[in-house]
Amino acid sequence: MNLFEGHGNREAKIRYLDGDFQILSPGSYVVCAMTGKNIPLDELRYWSVARQEPYVDVISAIEADKRAGMLPNQRR
């Protein structure tokens, strides 16, 4: 059994770190903070350490940074 098997179809609780994440509560997915889509843990590639949010893809991650005023040369 691998890390992601045997936890049913429930949302995992994650601590997002620089380049890695820590599973606090087992599950099979997390929910994208921008789209609301479920992201299987084995497909999780994008997140914000500062905001502790996962994103389904790079577009969602960039949109979240825009929303937070985090992009260079962006007015706040």
Side-chain angles (χ1 to χ4, degrees), residues 9 14 25 31 37 40 48 51-52 57 60 66 68 71 75:
N9 191 25
I14 305 288
S25 177
V31 178
K37 292 180 182 177
S48 167
R51 293 185 298 277
Q52 291 292 294
D57 56 23
S60 297
K66 283 182 187 177
L71 297 179
R75 290 189 177 142

Side-chain angles (χ1 to χ4, degrees), residues 8-75:
N9 191 25
R10 66 179 186 205
E11 184 176 359
K13 301 299 177 202
I14 305 288
R15 177 180 299 141
Y16 301 98
L17 309 170
D18 289 328
D20 201 3
F21 57 86
Q22 178 183 22
I23 299 173
L24 303 175
S25 177
S28 58
Y29 67 91
V30 291
V31 178
C32 177
M34 293 299 292
T35 67
K37 292 180 182 177
N38 289 355
I39 309 164
L41 290 187
D42 61 342
E43 295 178 20
L44 179 60
R45 303 286 184 271
Y46 305 98
W47 59 81
S48 167
V49 174
R51 293 185 298 277
Q52 291 292 294
E53 295 177 337
Y55 309 110
V56 71
D57 56 23
V58 70
I59 302 299
S60 297
I62 291 170
E63 288 301 316
D65 283 346
K66 283 182 187 177
R67 178 186 69 190
M70 299 296 293
L71 297 179
N73 301 322
Q74 184 178 357
R75 290 189 177 142

